Amino acid sequence: MDEALQKRVALEKVIRDCVAHGKFVLHYQPVFEMDSKRLVGFEALVRLPAPDGTLVSPTEFIPVAEEMRMIDKIGAWVLGEACRTATSWPKELTVAVNLSPSQFESGTIEQTVTDALKESGLDPRRLELEITESLLMHNSDATMATLRRLKDMGLSVVMDDFGTGYSSLSYLWKFPFDKIKIDRSFMESFAKSGRDVETVVKTIIALGREMNMRVTVEGVETAAQVDFLYNAHADQVQGFYFGKPLPAADMTADSLAQLRKSMPPAPPGHVTNGKLRLVEPTQK
Ligand code: C2E
Ligand code: MG
Ligand code: MG
């Protein structure tokens, strides 16, 4: 217990230090559209640099930062930095930012988003805000109203980690999400659970299509998963198979050009959708 407490106190100190000096790091993971085989954007993923030179995962430090009530400041930094970075990319590329429920509780999220867009000059149509179901479980009327006002700014609202919570389906008809991201646990189970996972993923993709929501599949790691997702007509894919999260500095014009070529060809027998939707933010 003593060791755990010491570790926690040390982590809190690093968080406080990084907040005070704006020392967080953002990595960006590419997202591709399957039908056009185009790079469509990146998801910004935050890391905390530890004094020993390693990067602490957000799954480890975000819950602690939430308890410390520091997530507002971290979230504002992430939004500002991600929007600024995206302005240096080709204009058709989007940037996705993860939001924490605490940013809604404090009531600062709209101002934070407005400031990030204004200061960076980023077209709001290039910004995607990713929320999880846990946000909607509490105080959902007020949260829905905030989400609507955010969407009215012209940005996209995305349901992240879809399929892992308790009642995601009811939220789908309560809020017009632009996109749902199927949690990576589905791809993790892919090889093990075979047909059953395939059926569930195909059904979610069909549901998204009916509801006019794009569907991104996360955690894609193998060629077999890619083949399946082509045939299932997933809209977008993201995962180590296509690219790990990278520091902004590694995203040179060359590496962007390389990424644009890295979608594998569709497997034989794959029929394209024909009427696939909305890649360009301007076409929304
Ligand atoms: P997420 O939003 O679902 O992000 C995807 C996570 O899956 C990332 O982990 C990414 O590195 C990982 N991933 C991507 N492709 C693969 C793959 O093919 N295989 C496997 N095994 N993993 C893959 P990461 O960066 O550790 O982030 C974890 C979570 O932390 C994120 O899950 C998100 O919920 C949260 N997070 C990240 N950045 C922020 C942030 O700026 N603010 C807030 N509030 N939460 C954040
Ligand atoms: Mg996410
Ligand atoms: Mg996710």
Side-chain angles (χ1 to χ4, degrees), residues 273-284:
N273 262 346
K275 53 170 184 165
L276 234 234
R277 290 164 301 189
L278 310 184
V279 203
E280 305 277 358
T282 45
Q283 289 177 342
K284 251 179 68 172

Side-chain angles (χ1 to χ4, degrees), residues 43 98 130 160-162 181-184 218:
E43 176 173 5
N98 293 281
E130 297 195 2
D160 199 4
D161 301 344
F162 186 76
K181 293 183 89 167
I182 301 182
D183 189 68
R184 69 174 191 265
E218 297 190 300

Side-chain angles (χ1 to χ4, degrees), residues 260-271:
R260 288 172 145 176
K261 289 188 212 143
S262 62
M263 270 297 288
H270 167 75
V271 183

Side-chain angles (χ1 to χ4, degrees), residues 79-88 95 112-124 126-127:
L79 260 164
E81 180 68 14
C83 289
R84 239 186 330 273
T85 303
T87 54
S88 68
V95 64
T112 306
V113 173
T114 307
D115 291 348
L117 288 169
K118 198 168 157 207
E119 280 160 26
S120 63
L122 186 78
D123 180 341
R126 296 179 62 194
L127 178 63

Side-chain angles (χ1 to χ4, degrees), residues 56-253:
V56 184
S57 154
T59 46
E60 200 179 318
F61 80 83
I62 293 274
V64 178
E66 282 175 340
E67 280 175 34
M68 293 168 72
R69 300 189 176 278
M70 293 218 140
I71 199 72
D72 266 4
K73 283 193 175 150
I74 299 173
W77 180 86
V78 169
L79 260 164
E81 180 68 14
C83 289
R84 239 186 330 273
T85 303
T87 54
S88 68
W89 302 338
K91 280 199 175 55
E92 76 277 12
L93 298 180
T94 56
V95 64
V97 174
N98 293 281
L99 299 182
S100 152
S102 319
Q103 291 173 267
F104 285 79
E105 275 161 31
S106 65
T108 55
I109 187 65
E110 284 169 78
Q111 194 56 50
T112 306
V113 173
T114 307
D115 291 348
L117 288 169
K118 198 168 157 207
E119 280 160 26
S120 63
L122 186 78
D123 180 341
R125 288 171 298 187
R126 296 179 62 194
L127 178 63
E128 298 184 342
L129 299 180
E130 297 195 2
I131 60 150
T132 55
E133 195 189 343
S134 60
L135 170 69
L136 304 173
M137 276 161 66
H138 314 286
N139 196 15
S140 72
D141 284 348
T143 307
M144 293 286 184
T146 307
L147 287 174
R148 272 176 212 284
R149 287 194 297 272
L150 287 169
K151 203 169 143 78
D152 287 345
M153 291 182 196
L155 49 80
S156 297
V157 178
V158 177
M159 167 71 90
D160 199 4
D161 301 344
F162 186 76
T164 51
Y166 297 103
S167 52
S168 310
L169 288 179
S170 72
Y171 298 125
L172 290 186
W173 68 76
K174 287 185 189 154
F175 187 77
F177 289 96
D178 295 279
K179 171 155 125 181
I180 48 188
K181 293 183 89 167
I182 301 182
D183 189 68
R184 69 174 191 265
S185 56
F186 286 81
M187 286 299 107
E188 269 166 30
S189 311
F190 183 80
K192 288 172 251 158
S193 316
R195 290 286 305 270
D196 290 344
V197 173
E198 292 183 13
T199 306
V200 175
V201 171
K202 276 186 191 158
T203 307
I204 301 174
I205 292 170
L207 179 70
R209 181 144 300 138
E210 284 298 314
M211 301 193 78
N212 220 14
M213 296 172 187
R214 278 163 290 157
V215 178
T216 301
V217 181
E218 297 190 300
V220 181
E221 293 185 357
T222 67
Q225 292 169 347
V226 177
D227 276 3
F228 161 70
L229 293 169
Y230 264 120
N231 286 314
H233 298 295
D235 292 312
Q236 297 180 348
V237 276
Q238 180 178 350
F240 295 165
Y241 185 84
F242 303 101
K244 293 202 167 175
L246 288 173
D250 291 1
M251 291 163 49
T252 57

